[in-house]
Amino acid sequence: MMKKYETPKVTVIMYVKNGAPYFRRALDSVVGQTLREIEVLIVDGGSTDDTLEIAEEVSERDDRVRIFSCGKGSVGAQFNLGVREARGEYIGIVESDDYILPEMYETEYRYAKETACDILRADNHIFFELDRQEIRLRTKVSQDNSVYGRELRAGRDDESIQTGGSYWTGLYRRAYLLDNKIRMNESKGAAYQDFGFLFLASAMAESLYFLDDAFYCYRKDNPNSSCNRPRDIRMVHEEYDFLKKELIGRGLWEHLKKYYYLWKIRNERWFYYNLDKADQKRFFPYFYEDLKNASAELSDLDIKWNIKEKKLLEAAGRSETSFADCLELRMQEWESACKIMQRINRGDTIYIFGAGNIGRIMCHYLQSRKVIPKAYIDNNAGLWGTEQGEVKVLFPDAVEAEPEDLFLICSENYADEIREDLECRGIPDTQTAIVDDMDACVRFIMRQMKE
């Protein structure tokens, strides 16, 4: 039996409710860490399946595993309970349908101690299963390579720190969270409470470190995921209300509101496009009111909006009909992109504009279909001349396009800017497809690979 440690280096919080289909793998990946000085807190939210039996079975043979019950029906309440009960120097989080690689906490704890950081963040892998085969792809927590491997500090490096991304990929110093009363929103349900937590934790960190490595494996094919099946359409809306109150109460609002609005609008837009038609209709009034009410205040803020965000804000300022039309146009552009991608055949000349997360995912998909991309194109001079998965990265001026060549514009935030650049180079819309949403891209790939 593995004995518990009185002062563990890392406390791993696993909040769960009815997670039996995937929970055993997640838990085994945690107790199997090469860093042995850990404790595992399983906080159950009222499971009625075999989740507790799995937890109890593992805890009987491993004293490092402790089980708690939280009946509030809230991931935020489960997480906050875990933080209060934790004894570790650092806190990690593993969700019940994911898993982590064996060396995750040994590596992350070493870097956290060397840098004495409040927060350590790392890249992660996304994965899904097709025909009993796992497809796993690395994604970056930041597309700005300069943030990796150096100390960042709130107040000095806010532009780099407020990058969004996923909060479970790294570590949080427990004393830092407790001393600053940083907690999750205890709203009902199991989704989006991490938005406010990650923003606030990053905004107050004396030291934050980005590790250029990936250990956390995030499942994309759980049909019961709360992100795929939201119980309350107002969850994102209410999460940002919670965050705004926190920032105002802590005297951080004036300094950080431009990042707040950037996160809020991007997350609400992402949320809208990842809902089904019925839920989009339910969410639309909240989305429209948020953007309409914010548009006046945003005019005086120095926010780096991209073209599609500017268009959306301008449409919301004009009328509800204009806003709806703007959203619908984006849906039509995505449908058009899907039709183009479905027609791609072996032998076609394909350029992928954007060597970031979406570009690499699309490249992997094309290669699985025996379609070899001609090259990546990227505006990042630091990537020119390198290779990503044996595909060269070129600068735009190096491309001599033919009329039959296709360009997949793979950029979450700057697809419209890239399309304008290509148009200036004489490449028409008929040769381009905008792929600007990673989740929609993954769903497309999963559908195509099943056919």
Side-chain angles (χ1 to χ4, degrees), residues 193-252:
Q193 291 91 343
D194 57 315
F195 288 175
F197 172 81
L198 180 57
F199 189 104
L200 191 60
S202 301
M204 300 184 70
E206 285 294 313
S207 176
L208 188 148
Y209 186 83
F210 281 65
L211 178 62
D212 190 8
D213 212 334
F215 310 97
Y216 194 100
C217 301
Y218 179 70
R219 181 178 293 276
K220 282 288 187 181
D221 59 358
N222 181 358
N224 296 315
S225 168
S226 53
C227 292
N228 294 329
R229 300 176 63 183
R231 294 181 181 178
D232 187 346
I233 212 69
R234 300 169 298 172
M235 293 179 77
V236 175
H237 176 83
E238 292 178 350
E239 179 65 16
Y240 278 93
D241 285 348
F242 164 81
L243 176 57
K244 183 174 182 178
K245 290 177 183 176
E246 286 286 315
L247 293 173
I248 291 172
R250 295 168 185 265
L252 298 171

Side-chain angles (χ1 to χ4, degrees), residues 53-250:
E53 286 81 355
I54 295 170
E56 289 165 356
E57 175 192 324
V58 175
S59 69
E60 286 176 1
R61 67 172 186 266
D62 194 328
D63 279 352
R64 300 175 303 168
V65 178
R66 294 192 284 154
I67 304 171
F68 296 87
S69 177
C70 179
K72 291 187 177 181
S74 164
V75 157
Q78 290 174 263
F79 175 80
N80 293 340
L81 188 157
V83 172
R84 292 194 300 270
E85 295 290 339
R87 297 183 299 229
E89 184 180 357
Y90 280 88
I91 288 174
I93 304 102
V94 176
E95 296 193 330
S96 60
D97 55 350
D98 302 332
Y99 72 93
I100 57 177
L101 301 184
E103 68 277 11
M104 174 168 171
Y105 289 126
E106 181 176 11
T107 305
E108 291 189 347
Y109 179 79
R110 182 174 73 251
Y111 278 96
K113 289 295 289 182
E114 288 177 358
T115 60
C117 62
D118 292 327
I119 300 173
L120 181 143
R121 299 179 66 187
D123 293 349
N124 66 279
H125 302 278
I126 61 169
F127 76 97
F128 50 91
E129 296 174 4
L130 289 173
D131 298 326
R132 298 183 180 181
Q133 178 184 3
E134 180 175 298
I135 298 172
R136 192 172 79 191
L137 301 166
R138 178 170 170 174
T139 62
K140 296 178 72 64
V141 71
S142 174
Q143 298 305 314
D144 180 2
N145 290 328
S146 69
V147 306
Y148 291 94
R150 64 185 180 89
E151 181 188 21
L152 301 170
R153 186 181 300 275
R156 183 190 67 191
D157 301 302
D158 289 323
E159 193 80 23
S160 299
I161 287 174
Q162 301 299 340
T163 57
S166 304
Y167 82 112
W168 20 250
T169 64
L171 292 173
Y172 301 83
R173 191 165 60 84
R174 180 171 62 91
Y176 163 67
L177 297 181
L178 293 174
D179 291 348
N180 290 280
K181 296 181 174 59
I182 298 172
R183 60 189 181 90
M184 269 196 196
N185 185 11
E186 296 193 3
S187 55
K188 291 183 179 180
Y192 313 111
Q193 291 91 343
D194 57 315
F195 288 175
F197 172 81
L198 180 57
F199 189 104
L200 191 60
S202 301
M204 300 184 70
E206 285 294 313
S207 176
L208 188 148
Y209 186 83
F210 281 65
L211 178 62
D212 190 8
D213 212 334
F215 310 97
Y216 194 100
C217 301
Y218 179 70
R219 181 178 293 276
K220 282 288 187 181
D221 59 358
N222 181 358
N224 296 315
S225 168
S226 53
C227 292
N228 294 329
R229 300 176 63 183
R231 294 181 181 178
D232 187 346
I233 212 69
R234 300 169 298 172
M235 293 179 77
V236 175
H237 176 83
E238 292 178 350
E239 179 65 16
Y240 278 93
D241 285 348
F242 164 81
L243 176 57
K244 183 174 182 178
K245 290 177 183 176
E246 286 286 315
L247 293 173
I248 291 172
R250 295 168 185 265

